[in-house]
Amino acid sequence: MLRGMPLPRPDHDTQPFWDAAQEGRYVVPRCAACGVGHWPPGPMCPHCFGDEIAWGDAPTRGSVYSWVVATHPVAEVLVDQVPYAIALIDLEPGVRVVGNVVGCDPSAIQAGMAVEVFFEEREEGVRVPNFRIPSGNLEA
Amino acid sequence: MGAQLREKAAIVGIGETEYSKESGRTELALACEAIRKAADDAGISVGEIDGLVRYDMDPVDEVALTSSAGLRNLRWMSHTGYGGTGGNAVIVHAAAAIAAGLATTVVCYRSLNERSGARYGQGSTWMSEKVGGFEQMQMPWGLLTPAQAFGMFARRHMIEYGWTSEQFGAVAVALRTHGSMNPRAMMRKPITVADHQASRMIADPLHLLDCCIESDGGCAVIVTTAERARSLRKPPAWIMGAAQGSGTRARGIIFRDDLATTEAHFTAKDVYASAGVGPADIDAVMIYDHFTPFIPMALEAYGFCGRGEGGPFVEDGRIHFDGELPVNTHGGNHSEAYIHGLPHIIEATRQLRGESSAQVPGCEVVLSCSAVAQLSAAVILRKD
């Protein structure tokens, strides 16, 4: 788990996400009219322009779309934490989120690899969702 | 888009400070020097400037410049985003203002103490204890710097099209070859693909030599009306066409449907229509090179090769000054200096004047553009 990273400062568009994370749920914003999700959370649907957002539970599994391995520590606090993977993870259509792939050698990450959601407790008791390889299943 | 801007305006003055790791001066001082030099180059007085376009990220604004650079009675002032698209976007705004008759002589500038001040490659430049906006959906997972975000695009092109790190190395070699010929360049020691491969990894797949340098310096460009351009000191670089584009869902750089289709695909159509030319008419290309993979991405978007073919295209010296399609003949952000893309417009102007340190023989039409910088802009210039 990364230490010393910036913590979220929720706003009206993102509060439901962080509130749910605190309860151990990964929720995403979807359009109440067309049902399609979007990311990052915003005030209206970028697909059909609907302005009512319905938050709902995301799938607990996603797949890796792209990733980098942070090898150079870009902050003092990271000197003993590199390397770590930063991945873009497809959760559902319209929703591609950022996470680390935890508990896996970064060099083993592959495109399309399945990952599952879990929760980390960061500083100040803030719970942050993250991703790991589901046990016994390496393919999406 | 049509031909509304076609040759209504021209670049007539260029000015640059020394490029260094530590300017020892304020950014205001850098802006003032660059603007004065650009006016001298054009053969006009700074007091004749009546329009101004600034990068929205620039620490120096028009109010400061009216007091310190001698600008007076500005009739047109505009700000452009975003980041590295600024180098072309400022020229789009200047040309539009002139075509609309809102100003006659417009200065565009960028001043930056980015090496001695807040370094873009350092997480601390962007981090704070708590982050809002899109950063709250990135930084808690340690996504902190441009190299980490833009590396996602490089990876995706490697996945989809089989691009290789050695191809990115070929770009780095071309940029340094041009830098080695440029007396203004901060990095002049030639490198090989082996040097690139041996350079330390920053954000895998990006090596150190895939990343632009950080630097201090200032640049300015003066754009004026067609009528006035003909009577000034240097031959005009005619603005044939210019365009901006947002693409779709550009927020936070990486939250897009498809990292392999960039905003440049939209802008490419518009700028060619604006200028009335196509890729076959272009003699040299200046591309915002924050990271090496964005040169092949831009070459695809602007139609110099097919989708996915950018990686192989940049090999075999094809983008060197003496190659089939010279790119960034000043050495770009990687070797000359990182002044947020404005030196690319300056180099395009030099090529059309025949003044480049890596002159392309018979260079008559130059495209200046970018691939991914959240927004996009492009300009096509023609020799007088």
Side-chain angles (χ1 to χ4, degrees):
Chain A
M1 181 178 83
L2 289 174
R3 288 170 283 104
M5 290 299 97
L7 293 173
R9 190 177 61 239
D11 53 42
H12 290 298
D13 294 332
T14 63
Q15 191 75 53
F17 174 77
W18 292 111
D19 286 349
Q22 205 60 27
E23 298 167 3
R25 291 168 52 228
Y26 201 118
V27 298
V28 297
R30 301 188 188 104
C31 176
C34 76
V36 179
H38 63 269
W39 201 261
M44 66 182 275
C45 174
H47 310 291
C48 81
F49 319 114
D51 61 1
E52 191 183 336
I53 303 299
W55 288 82
D57 288 324
T60 56
R61 285 194 178 190
S63 66
V64 173
Y65 174 74
S66 192
W67 75 98
V68 297
V69 183
T71 46
H72 174 66
V74 298
E76 191 64 33
V77 69
L78 289 167
V79 168
D80 61 353
Q81 301 193 76
V82 290
Y84 62 92
I86 313 164
L88 284 172
I89 291 155
D90 282 326
L91 277 183
E92 65 178 47
V95 180
R96 179 175 294 149
V97 303
V98 171
N100 306 116
V101 181
V102 173
C104 161
D105 181 340
S107 67
I109 297 173
Q110 294 175 33
M113 196 166 84
V115 290
E116 70 176 9
V117 176
F118 76 105
F119 288 82
E120 299 173 341
E121 186 167 324
R122 300 286 186 92
E123 293 84 352
E124 299 178 26
V126 174
R127 294 186 84 185
V128 172
N130 216 335
F131 295 89
R132 65 187 174 201
I133 300 199
S135 53
N137 182 358
L138 292 175
E139 296 301 321
Chain B
M1 299 303 290
Q4 295 90 339
L5 297 183
R6 204 170 294 168
E7 304 195 5
K8 298 287 199 305
I11 294 173
V12 293
I14 54 178
E16 294 163 284
T17 67
E18 179 193 27
Y19 298 134
S20 71
K21 289 186 171 179
E22 183 160 12
S23 71
R25 295 185 287 159
T26 61
E27 282 148 329
L28 178 59
L30 296 172
C32 288
E33 179 187 328
I35 291 170
R36 181 177 50 74
K37 283 181 166 171
D40 286 349
D41 182 63
I44 66 169
S45 154
V46 170
E48 294 174 69
I49 293 168
D50 65 353
L52 172 149
V53 187
R54 72 181 270 275
Y55 284 55
D56 60 6
M57 290 176 78
D58 204 282
V60 177
D61 69 12
E62 55 271 50
V63 176
L65 289 170
T66 57
S67 294
S68 298
L71 298 179
R72 54 180 73 105
N73 194 30
L74 292 171
R75 297 187 176 100
W76 165 259
M77 289 149 277
S78 139
H79 300 181
T80 70
Y82 214 98
T85 65
N88 297 306
V90 290
I91 304 300
V92 182
H93 282 223
I98 288 166
L102 295 169
T104 63
T105 307
V106 178
V107 68
C108 309
Y109 67 97
R110 182 73 170 113
S111 52
L112 200 60
N113 278 334
E114 197 247 328
R115 180 60 178 75
S116 65
R119 298 172 61 178
Y120 290 178
Q122 297 290 314
S124 55
T125 297
W126 315 102
M127 287 165 76
S128 52
E129 207 170 307
K130 296 222 164 117
V131 289
F134 71 83
E135 287 91 346
Q136 68 188 290
M137 298 304 174
Q138 300 186 347
M139 289 192 174
W141 297 275
L143 176 46
L144 302 166
T145 62
Q148 295 166 348
F150 286 104
M152 299 282 189
F153 293 78
R155 175 83 66 193
R156 196 64 208 171
H157 283 73
M158 295 168 96
I159 294 165
E160 288 194 30
Y161 304 125
W163 289 12
T164 65
S165 177
E166 287 80 4
Q167 290 167 345
F168 306 154
V171 173
V173 168
L175 295 168
R176 189 61 63 81
T177 299
H178 300 157
S180 74
M181 302 165 75
N182 176 354
R184 299 176 308 279
M186 291 173 66
M187 306 293 274
R188 292 183 222 166
K189 188 179 162 208
I191 57 170
T192 64
V193 172
D195 293 330
H196 169 273
Q197 290 294 297
S199 69
R200 73 176 188 274
M201 202 63 95
I202 299 296
D204 186 354
L206 299 181
H207 288 259
L208 177 69
L209 290 177
D210 288 312
C211 305
C212 61
I213 55 178
E214 295 168 308
S215 44
D216 288 10
C219 296
V221 172
I222 290 176
V223 183
T224 194
T225 61
E227 184 183 19
R228 187 157 200 229
R230 292 190 187 93
S231 62
L232 296 178
R233 183 175 286 163
K234 292 284 180 73
W238 292 98
I239 299 171
M240 299 179 78
Q244 280 188 285
S246 70
T248 54
R249 303 187 61 192
R251 193 177 185 210
I253 304 176
I254 51 167
F255 292 124
R256 304 164 184 246
D257 299 325
D258 178 8
L259 294 189
T261 302
T262 71
E263 53 269 38
H265 288 88
F266 296 85
T267 313
K269 289 189 192 77
D270 287 343
V271 78
Y272 285 135
S274 171
V277 300
D281 301 303
I282 306 293
D283 299 311
V285 190
M286 306 301 155
I287 300 169
Y288 179 66
D289 53 318
H290 40 1
F291 302 101
T292 54
F294 293 83
I295 285 185
M297 287 182 215
L299 292 172
E300 287 185 11
Y302 284 88
F304 298 101
C305 57
R307 182 66 72 102
E309 295 171 0
F313 185 89
V314 297
E315 294 180 306
D316 305 323
R318 195 173 276 119
I319 61 170
H320 287 232
F321 73 103
D322 54 356
E324 189 182 310
L325 184 68
V327 172
N328 290 8
T329 45
H330 53 329
N333 294 320
H334 274 70
S335 293
E336 188 194 53
Y338 181 86
I339 313 295
H340 235 162
L342 199 52
H344 295 61
I345 282 287
I346 290 177
E347 175 66 8
T349 305
R350 281 206 170 93
Q351 280 289 352
L352 297 172
R353 291 176 175 180
E355 294 176 352
S356 172
S357 49
Q359 185 63 44
V360 175
C363 185
E364 297 198 347
V365 180
V366 179
L367 165 69
S368 181
C369 62
S370 59
V372 178
Q374 298 194 74
L375 297 177
S376 126
V379 177
I380 296 175
L381 300 174
R382 176 180 72 75
K383 184 184 170 118
D384 187 43

